[in-house]
Amino acid sequence: MALPSPPVSGGDGMGWFVGEGHVVPLLLGFVLAEAAVLLLLRRRSGRGLPPLDIALLLAPGACLMLALWAALARAWWGWIALALAASLVTHLFDLRRRWRGSGR
């Protein structure tokens, strides 16, 4: 049984942009831009997070955004679950690396 679709306000351009999921690719672009800036700063200054840490920092949020995008697009539930699982796995991997790095 499918859940009813939430109403999307047709007259409000921003409501359509967010409600139909068109905002998600824009936000994913911001995440990619953030990664690029962090990598560039590391490359130029030699300081900052290593590339793997940057990827693990941003990947869980990006996976959650992919799950949101899939849900708003009314995709098959398996794709949504896959994106959510990927978010959990990358978050746990990041947490494990940080926990080991803190000397605990």
Side-chain angles (χ1 to χ4, degrees):
M1 177 176 179
L3 295 174
S5 300
V8 177
S9 62
D12 181 6
M14 201 60 172
W16 169 83
F17 186 66
V18 173
E20 292 293 318
H22 300 291
V23 71
V24 178
L26 176 67
L27 296 176
L28 286 169
F30 286 139
V31 170
L32 287 174
E34 180 182 3
V37 167
L38 290 172
L39 290 169
L40 184 62
L41 288 173
R42 165 110 175 148
R43 186 175 189 196
R44 288 197 176 178
S45 71
R47 297 173 41 196
L49 294 173
L52 181 59
D53 288 348
I54 293 170
L56 289 174
L57 176 72
L58 299 175
C63 289
L64 287 174
M65 284 188 249
L66 289 173
L68 172 65
W69 197 8
L72 290 172
R74 293 162 186 76
W76 174 58
W77 67 267
W79 293 121
I80 300 167
L82 182 64
L84 291 172
S87 178
L88 175 64
V89 168
T90 55
H91 171 67
L92 291 176
F93 190 62
D94 182 35
L95 185 61
R96 184 173 141 225
R97 281 180 50 88
R98 289 174 191 259
W99 197 275
R100 286 184 176 173
S102 69
R104 293 183 186 192

